[in-house]
Amino acid sequence: MSDRAHGRVSGRRRVRIHRAWFVAAVTFVTIIGAAAFRSLPGLLIDPLHAEFGWSRGTIGAAVSVNLALYGLTAPFAAALMDRFGIRRVVAVALTVIAAGSLLTVWMTAAWQLLLYWGLLVGLGSGSMALAFAATVTNRWFTERRGLVTGILTAASASGQLIFLPVLSWTVLRYGWRPAAVTVALAAVTVVPFVWLLLRDHPADVGQKPYGAREFTPKPPPVRGAARRTLRVLSSAVRTGPFWLLAGTFAICGASTNGLVQTHFVPAAHDHGMPVTAAASLLAVIGVFDVVGTVASGWFTDRFEPRRLLAVYYALRGMSLLFLPVLLAPSVHPPMVFFIVFYGLDWVATVPPTLALCREQYGEDSAIVFGWVLASHQLGAALVAFLGGVARDAFGSYDVVWYGSGALCAAAALMALVIRRRPAAAALTPATA
């Protein structure tokens, strides 16, 4: 072989794409497919209220249970993935989501909404949630973790972008039941991708994690997942950074999933905006969320995560304070500006929060992040419920918008007081 030909072959070998990127791509597609369930709650409030006469507070309670379980299951999901593998846990979770969504088609009482949508979909979604992205990132990447975290976090927004217009059109034209079936089908469709293409660890295919200098053997299954999860929590709660991270992320959930994702469509409809237009605006938030989250991952690899969090929360709080005066029967330029601005900030908080968990808690960071995510969803659950109660009591959502803006200002201050911790001083793993 000539030197030139040898050079071409060597060049091709040097640019070979690492398997970690294919795993990240499968994870991205899986999260998109599962994101359909996150697009539906805000579209269900008015149809269920009209058909069954249930109050918005009652419907909000079911969404609240869903969001709470989504968060409380996440830390156990990370440990279950260590015990049984990513593929098995995610495949079962997607099946549970599909079953819960499909069963809502036959419900006739509010307790069934709490059981199917609240309990089953909440448990299924929590079993993958962001713990899925965090586990894949920790196992398959030692470099570009911030960027990959941003991309995988943005997958939920991409799914929202895909499903919201479709589901809103389906609800308007055919009713809410076909929309629930669509969610179930979307979850089931991605199960084969997970089972056939996803791998639990780089060692399964004889590779090093992306950016690693040495080969890492696959660790044996970790037994006692629940006990380990609780031990990690017991260790983390004795540290100040945990409470600051949990508090800021609770406010993050309250001001995104609990507030805007659940109540933006009915709030806009209260001001005369068509449901399809409001849902389309929420989908546009998803477009810019992708841009903002990926950019946030890139920033997190290069800048101080605490300062990034402070900036993100401050900007989000300012935008929410202006929202009540922007809602109108039609879409106008100031509202479009809010959608773009807010969308860039939607979950931009995830990459720096996960980076701080890694810095503070080392090998237990995925489980600690699961508990921090639990606080995110508890904050979301509380506001999903209180938002509906406020609408029933005051006839508008204005007090909730203003309150969330003030909470975001508090979160910005909390982020700034998290103390730095050298990597070598991260907590000793609770499994030790």
Side-chain angles (χ1 to χ4, degrees), residues 210-254:
Y210 179 82
R213 296 181 179 180
E214 298 180 357
F215 180 82
T216 304
K218 183 178 181 179
V222 180
R223 299 183 181 276
R227 289 194 301 272
R228 180 191 176 200
T229 301
L230 294 174
R231 283 199 302 269
V232 170
L233 175 63
S234 176
S235 180
V237 295
R238 294 196 292 269
T239 66
F242 174 82
W243 293 106
L244 291 169
L245 288 168
T248 56
F249 224 39
I251 293 171
C252 179

Side-chain angles (χ1 to χ4, degrees), residues 168-179:
S168 63
W169 177 82
T170 302
V171 169
L172 186 64
R173 182 154 186 161
Y174 300 107
W176 63 270
R177 288 180 175 84

Side-chain angles (χ1 to χ4, degrees), residues 71-84:
L72 291 173
T73 308
F76 294 95
L80 286 172
M81 288 176 189
D82 286 342
R83 173 67 179 88
F84 298 105

